[in-house]
Amino acid sequence: IFVLLFFNNIWSETMEQKIEKFGKENGKLYLQPWVTALGSNLNSGLYNNAKVLKPFLFGFNVNTMMAFIPKEDQTFTATRPDIKIGEYYLYEEEELETATVFGDEGATFHLNDDLTGEIDDLELILPDGLNTTMLPLFVPQVNLGLPWGNEITVRVFPKMELNKDVGDIYFYGAGIKHNLDQYLPGIIPIDLAMQGFYQQLGVSDVITIKSWSINALISKKLMMWTLYGGIGLEGTSMNVDYETTTYVYNTMTQELDSEQLDIDFDLDGKNEFRATAGVRYTVLLLKIYADYSLSKYPVLNAGIGISF
């Protein structure tokens, strides 16, 4: 409920309306922290121990992640559109510090004073950000044990409209965990495993985010408590496809003509490496756990699940 309310209130404009006000390079800088934060969240909660489920036993987990956004990633330097009328640029300021998707207020490029009276009011007001230092994400997942020391995990959030402003959101992911301590029977009293995972998230028809991770896992059960951790390599990429309006000075009519410009670019998150430590408490079939990950953006994950 908390996550749904968060998404329901952060958008005063749709995502399309926000990024349509940017050209390509400014759009990249506006969204860069978002793809990194989503990547940090998506690659959290993938495991809560290194032990693999026995063949054809299954479990169900619900994770809630919270990525924390550093202050320096709440703003970026935007450059003015390269639009000139004669020898003058359309906008006075060459660069302005403005909000990223997580920042506060967007800056405004003002019309060049030398052009006053020659053109209509075309000030460029850049979009506000969400004005937050954290990004939550809610992810359900199902685990199934397979023969030969394997376990698969599936995450699915079917395509649906959270509200008219956010638009449609869909999400899916799958991964496999392989038992390593089966090759070292009786040598060390801990559980070891390797895990690989792939995920994809889409927002409306504008944004597609893909994420992958490879993790080395370790855990030790002490009565009802399980201490677990892992290190991993990860990556996140985002494709953005939208239209924006640009202006071209018509030397024949001596007026500005508006044109639709298609923007399509790929953007990589700054996700490379993470280290995770957590603890799980078991009561019969119920598992309650929490962990903290150090990555480009640190993430706190908490979850609850059952396994059979």
Side-chain angles (χ1 to χ4, degrees):
I1 293 174
F2 167 75
V3 175
L4 292 178
L5 288 175
F6 178 88
F7 276 104
N8 190 56
N9 288 285
I10 58 177
W11 307 112
S12 58
E13 302 174 288
T14 65
M15 177 57 80
E16 294 99 318
Q17 289 172 329
K18 284 178 178 290
I19 64 176
E20 281 169 5
K21 297 181 180 179
F22 289 113
K24 184 174 182 178
E25 296 307 317
N26 286 337
K28 284 184 176 181
L29 295 172
Y30 180 77
L31 293 172
Q32 177 71 72
W34 199 53
V35 63
T36 303
L38 279 173
S40 298
N41 272 337
L42 288 174
N43 288 325
S44 299
L46 298 178
Y47 55 88
N48 54 67
N49 71 349
K51 189 173 182 178
V52 174
L53 287 174
K54 293 181 179 180
F56 309 114
L57 296 184
F58 68 93
F60 175 75
N61 297 66
V62 175
N63 294 290
T64 301
M65 307 86 159
M66 187 77 72
F68 299 94
I69 317 302
K71 184 176 178 61
E72 59 266 24
D73 285 351
Q74 293 184 304
T75 60
F76 76 96
T77 301
T79 56
R80 66 187 173 194
D82 187 20
I83 305 171
K84 297 182 74 172
I85 299 179
E87 60 181 309
Y88 299 108
Y89 279 97
L90 178 61
Y91 297 108
E92 182 75 29
E93 301 88 355
E94 182 176 354
E95 294 181 340
L96 286 175
E97 185 176 271
T98 188
T100 67
V101 67
F102 293 117
D104 190 1
E105 294 184 1
T108 299
F109 282 103
H110 298 92
L111 293 173
N112 194 321
D113 290 338
D114 293 318
L115 301 176
T116 302
E118 298 184 24
I119 57 176
D120 296 330
D121 187 2
L122 293 176
E123 286 188 343
L124 179 58
I125 303 175
L126 299 180
D128 296 338
L130 307 180
N131 192 23
T132 182
T133 58
M134 54 189 179
L135 178 68
L137 190 66
F138 165 85
V139 178
Q141 64 186 43
V142 177
N143 310 302
L144 175 65
L146 295 176
W148 304 297
N150 294 304
E151 176 185 323
I152 60 171
T153 300
V154 176
R155 292 175 158 185
V156 176
F157 189 84
K159 188 173 183 178
M160 64 177 62
E161 184 180 80
L162 293 184
N163 62 51
K164 63 181 181 180
D165 291 331
V166 178
D168 291 333
I169 287 182
Y170 72 88
F171 167 74
Y172 64 85
I176 186 167
K177 182 166 68 173
H178 182 69
N179 182 359
L180 294 181
D181 54 273
Q182 63 181 320
Y183 306 115
L184 306 168
I187 296 179
I188 47 177
I190 57 176
D191 295 305
L192 299 171
M194 289 293 295
Q195 182 190 56
F197 222 96
Y198 173 83
Q199 300 170 87
Q200 184 167 315
L201 182 148
V203 181
S204 191
D205 296 322
V206 176
I207 294 173
T208 302
I209 296 173
K210 299 177 181 179
S211 180
W212 63 268
S213 65
I214 300 174
N215 303 298
L217 317 180
I218 185 172
S219 67
K220 174 63 177 178
K221 186 173 183 181
L222 303 169
M223 299 182 67
M224 293 180 291
W225 297 92
T226 300
L227 303 177
Y228 65 91
I231 56 174
L233 301 175
E234 59 183 4
T236 308
S237 62
M238 177 171 64
N239 176 260
V240 183
D241 186 0
Y242 62 96
E243 290 185 348
T244 187
T245 300
T246 187
Y247 295 93
V248 178
Y249 183 65
N250 189 323
T251 57
M252 298 292 293
T253 63
Q254 296 187 345
E255 294 180 353
L256 283 175
D257 295 333
S258 62
E259 291 185 356
Q260 288 299 112
L261 181 65
D262 292 327
I263 302 293
D264 187 348
F265 62 84
D266 294 312
L267 184 63
D268 291 330
K270 298 179 180 180
N271 312 88
E272 297 178 353
F273 174 84
R274 75 163 51 209
T276 300
V279 61
R280 186 181 78 173
Y281 183 74
T282 302
V283 182
L284 299 177
L285 301 178
L286 183 67
K287 324 289 184 182
I288 302 172
Y289 54 92
D291 54 66
Y292 186 80
S293 294
L294 294 175
S295 59
K296 176 61 179 179
Y297 293 166
V299 182
L300 178 64
N301 172 70
I304 187 170
I306 56 174
S307 60
F308 299 91

